[in-house]
């Protein structure tokens, strides 16, 4: 039976748009891509994209004429990382098109103090904050506010190391004041990204997959023998190039679900309506197998692109390969059938 869903799933052409639109198509929706002209030659190759709106830059979706067109087509907009890096939190909240999930929680992802607050309220273990350079007595990571992909971050293990890194950023005009830096305990272990989906319609939390990132140049540094490392000045960067699949020791899953549940509960309390849809807890497993969360994403992450035909975990929950993008479309479909769309859109 073909059911007319009368909605179009739309997203920005970047990040995870192929997965999102393919998933929407597989669930029976029409699809729409908004993309920059220079990227169109990639997206023109895929026949699951029904409509395209070409823009000069992603920010053009702020134009009322574009938003009117999206509403005429009865679009539901799926937010992802490119939306967050293209628009401010105010601009995102003022988008006048139904957004899947809670657009208000995206501010909590973008703002370092709000982010911290939600992680603490979720009872997640987080890296220790170091109040001043005087208190550095172990390896620390020094972060900039609002930096993307760890650019400008540096490591320091004492006050002198901090001052060297700080002076470099001052000289390069990256910062104008030492206080713009934020010092955090460097968590020793392995970074892991946990993908969740929360369905307000079923009330369930689904653990959908896990990945690690392949980052340049931090992941390349180990390929340089130590005697050469010492001769060249390398300040590692964390620019994501791709993602690598992972499964967890099964005994870790209990805590994974616990963390997901706590996060869902805290976000309902702090940012109603909470976190309908995908989110990601991003942290480091220490050698004691403790998960220390350094940040979260309050929307689909690009690491889910690994599992376009279902992850090991999604395959335990769903019959046929269920990607995160398809899971979003399924939730919207259930929302339409059960007249509960208002619980999953903002
Ligand atoms: N406290 C920490 N301990 C160890 N590694 C960290 C810590 N914080 C961040 N990192 C590493 O730095 C990378 C970038 O940090 P993150 O806080 O995610 O910055 P951004 O907001 O730019 O994504 C992470 O992917 C992780 O590999
Ligand atoms: Mg990050």
């Amino acid at each position: 039976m073909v059911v007319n869903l009368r909605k179009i799933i739309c997203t920005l052409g970047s990040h995870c748009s192929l997965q999102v639109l393919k998933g929407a198509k597989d669930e029976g929706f029409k699809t729409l891509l908004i993309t920059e002209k220079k990227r169109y030659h990639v997206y023109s190759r895929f026949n699951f994209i029904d409509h395209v709106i070409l823009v000069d830059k992603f920010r053009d979706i702020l134009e009322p004429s574009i938003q009117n067109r999206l509403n005429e087509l009865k679009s539901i907009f799926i937010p992802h990382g490119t939306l967050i890096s293209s628009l401010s939190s105010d601009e995102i909240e003022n988008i006048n098109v139904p957004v899947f999930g809670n657009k208000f929680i995206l501010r909590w992802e973008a703002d370092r103090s709000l982010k911290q607050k939600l992680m603490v309220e979720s009872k997640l273990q987080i890296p220790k904050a170091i109040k001043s350079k005087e208190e550095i007595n172990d390896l620390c990571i020094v972060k900039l506010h609002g930096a993307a992909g760890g650019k400008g971050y540096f490591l320091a293990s004492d006050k002198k190391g901090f001052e060297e890194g700080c002076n470099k950023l001052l000289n390069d005009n990256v910062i104008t004041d030492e206080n713009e830096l934020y010092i955090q305990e460097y968590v020793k272990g392995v970074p892991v990204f946990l993908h969740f989906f929360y369905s307000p319609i079923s009330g369930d939390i689904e653990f959908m997959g896990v990945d690690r990132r392949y980052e340049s140049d931090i992941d390349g540094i180990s390929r340089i023998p130590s005697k050469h490392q010492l001769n060249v000045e390398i300040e590692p960067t964390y620019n994501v190039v791709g993602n690598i699949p992972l499964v967890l020791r099964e005994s870790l899953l209990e805590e994974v679900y616990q963390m997901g549940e706590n996060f869902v509960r805290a976000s309902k309390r702090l940012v109603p309506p909470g976190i309908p849809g995908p989110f990601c807890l991003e942290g480091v497993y220490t050698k004691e197998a403790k998960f220390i969360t350094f940040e979260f994403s309050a929307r689909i992450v690009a690491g889910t692109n690994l599992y376009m035909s279902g992850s090991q975990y999604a395959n335990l929950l769903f019959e046929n390969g269920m990607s995160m993008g398809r899971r979003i479309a399924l939730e919207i479909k259930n929302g339409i059938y059960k007249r509960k769309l208002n619980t999953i859109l903002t």
Side-chain angles (χ1 to χ4, degrees):
M1 183 180 69
V2 178
V3 179
N4 184 359
L5 293 164
R6 298 218 310 273
K7 294 280 181 199
I8 284 193
I9 305 289
C10 104
T11 197
L12 298 180
S14 177
H15 193 266
C16 58
S17 63
L18 291 173
Q19 182 202 159
V20 165
L21 298 189
K22 173 69 166 61
K25 194 71 181 177
D26 288 342
E27 287 299 322
F29 287 95
K30 288 260 188 243
T31 62
L32 186 157
L33 185 84
I34 305 161
T35 197
E36 294 176 344
K37 289 175 185 142
K38 62 181 181 208
R39 301 177 189 237
Y40 180 62
H41 73 283
V42 173
Y43 294 106
S44 62
R45 293 156 207 266
F46 301 102
N47 63 8
F48 52 83
I49 300 173
D50 297 310
H51 302 266
V52 176
I53 295 180
L54 292 178
V55 290
D56 289 319
K57 45 193 183 336
F58 287 124
R59 290 187 59 74
D60 294 350
I61 62 159
L62 293 172
E63 296 289 329
S65 61
I66 292 191
Q67 297 192 17
N68 289 342
R69 179 81 188 119
L70 294 180
N71 284 322
E72 276 164 21
L73 291 167
K74 299 197 190 310
S75 305
I76 294 177
F77 185 83
I78 316 297
H80 56 54
T82 304
L83 183 76
I84 293 181
S85 57
S86 307
L87 303 187
S88 71
S89 300
D90 283 337
E91 288 167 337
I92 292 173
E93 287 176 9
N94 286 323
I95 289 177
N96 200 11
V97 175
V99 173
F100 177 76
N102 182 359
K103 66 182 177 186
F104 301 102
I105 203 171
L106 299 175
R107 177 186 294 279
W108 292 63
E109 172 182 334
D111 179 299
R112 193 181 295 287
S113 18
L114 291 177
K115 181 184 270 179
Q116 189 91 353
K117 184 168 175 196
L118 184 47
M119 292 197 292
V120 170
E121 289 280 325
S122 305
K123 303 194 194 87
L124 295 168
Q125 287 204 53
I126 58 176
K128 230 184 350 211
I130 313 290
K131 289 195 193 68
S132 84
K133 61 184 176 188
E134 316 293 336
E135 291 173 31
I136 302 177
N137 53 22
D138 198 354
L139 189 60
C140 289
I141 181 164
V142 184
K143 301 185 175 186
L144 291 160
H145 280 276
K151 225 187 256 152
Y153 291 11
F154 64 91
L155 304 183
S157 40
D158 53 21
K159 181 176 163 184
K160 185 167 158 279
F162 173 88
E163 284 172 344
E164 279 167 17
C166 176
N167 285 338
K168 190 165 183 310
L169 293 176
L170 287 167
N171 288 336
D172 294 347
N173 294 319
V174 180
I175 55 169
T176 53
D177 189 309
E178 189 178 305
N179 292 323
E180 290 171 44
L181 297 175
Y182 173 86
I183 315 170
Q184 195 174 67
E185 162 200 12
Y186 186 90
V187 183
K188 300 172 200 92
V190 286
V192 168
F193 295 76
L194 307 169
H195 316 156
F196 296 89
F197 187 94
Y198 169 61
S199 165
I201 294 177
S202 72
D204 287 335
I205 289 174
E206 296 152 9
F207 178 52
M208 292 288 282
V210 47
D211 77 290
R212 53 177 291 209
R213 292 184 181 169
Y214 200 41
E215 293 164 327
S216 188
D217 57 2
I218 182 77
D219 288 315
I221 288 175
S222 63
R223 296 168 59 90
I224 304 172
S226 59
K227 70 171 181 187
H228 298 289
Q229 286 185 7
L230 293 173
N231 288 335
V232 274
E233 270 207 15
I234 306 176
E235 200 52 71
T237 52
Y238 301 86
N239 192 16
V240 182
V241 174
N243 302 78
I244 302 172
L246 203 68
V247 288
L248 293 178
R249 279 174 66 169
E250 197 159 310
S251 57
L252 296 175
L253 291 181
E254 191 195 334
E255 194 201 6
V256 165
Y257 274 101
Q258 192 66 57
M259 291 190 295
E261 281 163 12
N262 288 346
F263 187 80
V264 166
R265 221 171 290 132
S267 47
K268 276 187 189 168
R269 207 164 52 234
L270 293 181
V271 210
I275 183 99
F279 64 96
C280 181
L281 298 182
E282 315 181 355
V284 171
Y285 271 108
T286 65
K287 61 182 172 198
E288 293 85 18
K290 282 227 155 336
F291 190 79
I292 313 292
T293 311
F294 55 77
E295 69 166 350
F296 64 81
S297 295
R299 35 82 195 171
I300 185 170
V301 287
T304 60
N305 287 340
L306 280 167
Y307 307 118
M308 294 207 205
S309 37
S311 72
Q312 292 79 0
Y313 298 103
N315 289 343
L316 299 173
L317 295 169
F318 297 94
E319 281 283 315
N320 37 14
M322 180 65 70
S323 69
M324 190 66 94
R326 185 166 181 177
R327 183 65 189 86
I328 292 171
L330 177 63
E331 190 74 357
I332 294 172
K333 198 153 102 177
N334 289 338
I336 294 170
Y337 288 159
K338 299 186 176 169
R339 297 179 184 281
K340 285 190 169 168
L341 260 191
N342 60 336
T343 62
I344 53 172
L345 304 180
T346 48

